[in-house]
Structures are given as structure tokens and as C-alpha cells.
Amino acid sequence: MKQYEAKVEERVLHFKQPAGTSRGVYTTRKIWLVTLSDGERSGVGECAPLPDLSCDVRPDYAEVLKGFCQSFCEKGEIDYEAMRDYPSMLFGLETAVLALHSPLTTHHSRLFDTAFSRGEVGIPINGLVWMGTFEEMQQRIEEKLEKGFHCVKLKIGAIDFDAELELVKQIRSRFSYHDVELRVDANGAFPYDEALYKLELLSQYALHSIEQPIKAGQWARMAELCRESPLPIALDEELIGVNDPETKRQMLNIIRPAYIILKPSLHGGMMGTREWIELARDMGIGSWITSALESNIGLNAIAQFCSSVYGDSITMPQGLGTGQLFTDNIPMPLEIRGEKIWYVEH
């Protein structure tokens, strides 16, 4: 068996502009890079848990991660069952292993052999508009539309709901749903007793979907909303920490959302994300993949993984546009041209 070595390195990334979410504002981002080597080749993966959100955030994160890396070095393979409850660590290790073993490139950033990773096609993405004041969000929407995005995702729930509704109304007064697909993400901000009323108001503006209208962990209430809502509901935070395949099936069967939105760092690494997609597909539930504020190392892996899961002709916009957020990002052969992300080896 080959002899492997592993190195774990902590990095802090800095946002170009503060990133506002319903859980507060991020100005920096802590990640861990895992480098695996076999004496001849090496591969790097990114472990990027989100504070207050990831199920595997813990004070001894680096030590636990090093333990999993050591296990890989001893066995020569990932212990997937042991890592089920550590999705951000699993995703980083999966990426490093793919990069280490990739025969596709000299600098080991091509992880899958797909039309996307060969640079033949781009993947359509949504333009993400962060939470901010009414004026800031209005300006950000304009910027996305000017760049040619036909799918825009608004994070809502931070300012007054009437103001957010006005933003949506303004966009729709200028662009029909044929021209611009609008998605909104409430990050669980709506009180349950107001949620259906707010969904009805939003549904006047021909939105594609709303992510996580109420807080996660209320399966019966979310199921009721999915039944009653005039607007398709997508689950995101609801999936975090649900890592057992049977529990995944049970939850989707009870709630029956229109879509699930998958972030490999949060939802089980590549292995767990594939499970979610297959279960959802069996139930007629749609899905798409997004990044979760990773550096370009993680974004590169997610984009290529996305192309391996959904094939060479992806038409539904994915959430892969977060690679331009940091002042000190790690270079990867990714480019956003118009409303698509491309893999471009120079």
C-alpha cells in the first residue's frame, strides 16, 4: 500500500465587502486546507465550516480533522461512515483525495472528467444579492442585471419586509418572469404565524421559489407550509445535521418540498449530497447545488462535482458565484463570464 502524509493548515480569508446573512455579518472566514501527498503527487482540499450553522463546528475542529486525515493515511481510504456527521471535514478530504489521484492535469485542479472540467461548457449560476439596506440591495440588483444574469437570488429577512417586497415589486415592474428568474432566501426569518401571509404576498411577483421561510427543525409546520404555499418552497438549513440516509428519506417524505438546495460542506460532503439528490429525485423533488462561502479551492471542487452529478447540459442556475468575495482568495482556473462559471486552464 502507498504511504500517505497529511498536513492541515488554518487560513483566514477576508471579505471584500461585509457579507450580511440572517445570522449576522461576516468580515472574515476561517478555513482549513488539507494537503495529502504520496511522495510523488499531492492534492489539496478545503474544510470550511460556517460558525453557528455547520453541524461539525467544534472547538477542537483541527484536532478531529487531523485524526480523520491520519485514519486515511493508515487505511488508504476515507472512512465514510465515521465521517457522516462531519460534512465539512469529509468534503475537504474527498477533494484532496480526488486531487491527489487525478490523472487529468499537472496541477491537480481537474477532479472529474466532464465537459465543464474540460472547459467545453459553462454552468449557469444565479446572481447573489446580499442583505443590506434598501438602497444597497437595489444597487446590487442593478449590478447583477447589468452583468447579464437572468436568475437573481435575494437574501431577505434583515430589513423591513415591506421594503423587501417593494424591491421585488420594482424588479418585476421592469422585468417579467420570462426575462429574470427571481429566487428569495429567508434563512428561516419568518415567524410561523406570519409565514403563509408573507408567502402569499411574495407569490404575486412570479418568484421561482423561496428558501427556508421558517426556522429549521419544525417538520410538521414546514410540511403544512409546503402544502399550503402558493410559492414553491426549497429546503436548505433544514437539511443540516440530517446525515443518516433513512432520516433523510423520512424528512423528505414528511415535508415534501418543491426543491432542496445542497451545499457539500454542510450537507454530507460529496457522498451525502449524492444521497440527498438521489432520494429527492425518487420523490419528484428538484435540487440544485451551491457553495457556502468557500475559497476557490472549495468552489472549484463543488462546480466540478455539480457537473458530475447533473451532467453536461445543466440548465437550472446553480449557486456557484461566491468565488469573488475575498481579497486573498486562492487562485484556481475558474472564471465567471456573464451568467456562467467556466473552468479555464491557461
Side-chain angles (χ1 to χ4, degrees):
M1 194 181 82
K2 278 194 172 183
Q3 296 295 306
Y4 294 102
E5 288 186 3
K7 184 178 79 172
V8 174
E9 175 195 357
E10 184 181 309
R11 287 269 188 103
V12 176
L13 304 174
H14 299 82
F15 284 91
K16 292 176 183 174
Q17 295 176 326
T21 75
S22 61
R23 286 168 297 278
V25 177
Y26 293 116
T27 55
T28 60
R29 176 83 166 96
K30 189 188 288 187
I31 63 170
W32 284 264
L33 298 179
V34 172
T35 303
L36 297 177
S37 58
D38 62 8
E40 297 171 16
R41 299 166 59 89
S42 64
V44 181
E46 176 180 0
C47 305
L50 281 167
D52 306 321
L53 192 58
S54 296
C55 65
D56 54 356
V57 167
R58 46 192 299 149
D60 58 348
Y61 187 92
E63 286 67 35
V64 174
L65 175 58
K66 286 173 185 172
F68 285 129
C69 291
Q70 186 59 36
S71 168
F72 171 81
C73 291
E74 290 167 4
K75 297 175 182 176
E77 59 184 21
I78 296 172
D79 187 341
Y80 283 100
E81 289 309 310
M83 294 191 75
R84 268 195 183 276
D85 292 330
Y86 302 89
S88 66
M89 299 185 198
L90 176 56
F91 174 64
L93 200 51
E94 285 173 314
T95 303
V97 171
L98 282 169
L100 175 66
H101 292 151
S102 172
L104 301 168
T105 178
T106 50
H107 52 74
H108 311 179
S109 57
R110 269 182 71 192
L111 309 177
F112 295 90
D113 188 17
T114 65
F116 171 77
S117 61
R118 292 191 297 269
E120 296 164 8
V121 298
I123 298 174
I125 60 175
N126 58 234
L128 178 59
V129 175
W130 291 96
M131 289 176 174
T133 65
F134 182 89
E135 291 75 19
E136 285 169 342
M137 291 180 77
Q138 194 173 31
Q139 183 190 339
R140 289 167 191 166
I141 291 165
E142 294 288 345
E143 287 168 1
K144 296 298 179 191
L145 296 174
E146 281 171 19
K147 285 180 179 173
F149 284 95
H150 288 92
C151 177
V152 176
K153 173 177 159 180
L154 304 177
K155 283 190 171 285
I156 62 173
I159 60 175
D160 177 66
F161 179 72
D162 291 337
E164 290 169 335
L165 203 60
E166 183 59 33
L167 270 175
V168 172
K169 183 180 176 181
Q170 277 188 21
I171 299 169
R172 271 292 167 258
S173 68
R174 291 174 53 206
F175 301 96
S176 78
Y177 69 92
H178 295 294
D179 300 320
V180 175
E181 182 179 279
L182 271 179
R183 301 171 176 175
V184 293
D185 181 2
N187 285 126
F190 296 168
Y192 170 70
D193 56 0
E194 298 173 14
L196 193 56
Y197 174 63
K198 290 182 173 180
L199 293 175
E200 285 168 355
L201 291 175
L202 285 165
S203 71
Q204 301 172 80
Y205 302 108
L207 303 188
H208 173 269
S209 56
I210 181 167
E211 286 178 46
Q212 204 68 43
I214 61 172
K215 280 191 170 61
Q218 308 176 75
W219 290 12
R221 286 180 163 184
M222 188 67 90
E224 184 184 344
L225 279 181
C226 287
R227 282 196 306 272
E228 302 292 333
S229 172
L231 193 56
I233 290 175
L235 302 185
D236 177 359
E237 287 93 336
E238 200 72 61
L239 314 178
I240 296 170
V242 181
N243 301 315
D244 168 69
E246 194 45 52
T247 313
K248 290 177 182 181
R249 180 181 281 106
Q250 185 185 12
M251 188 180 83
L252 291 180
N253 203 29
I254 290 169
I255 298 178
R256 293 280 169 169
Y259 302 100
I260 57 173
I261 300 167
L262 295 153
K263 300 176 171 77
S265 290
L266 292 174
H267 299 134
M270 298 184 199
M271 175 202 70
T273 299
R274 282 187 195 276
E275 283 181 354
W276 277 117
I277 290 169
E278 286 164 15
L279 286 168
R281 200 176 273 154
D282 289 346
M283 295 185 198
I285 295 167
S287 65
W288 67 89
I289 289 173
T290 86
S291 48
L293 306 182
E294 293 88 357
S295 79
N296 279 334
I297 289 178
L299 181 61
N300 175 56
I302 295 165
Q304 292 192 50
F305 170 69
C306 180
S307 70
S308 80
V309 171
Y310 294 129
D312 291 343
S313 51
I314 297 171
T315 54
M316 176 178 276
Q318 310 291 305
L320 305 173
T322 59
Q324 301 168 311
L325 295 174
F326 304 109
T327 59
D328 43 8
N329 212 330
I330 297 155
M332 274 279 151
L334 298 172
E335 283 181 20
I336 292 178
R337 301 177 191 160
E339 60 177 350
K340 289 186 176 182
I341 189 168
W342 290 79
Y343 181 88
V344 186
E345 277 190 351
H346 296 290

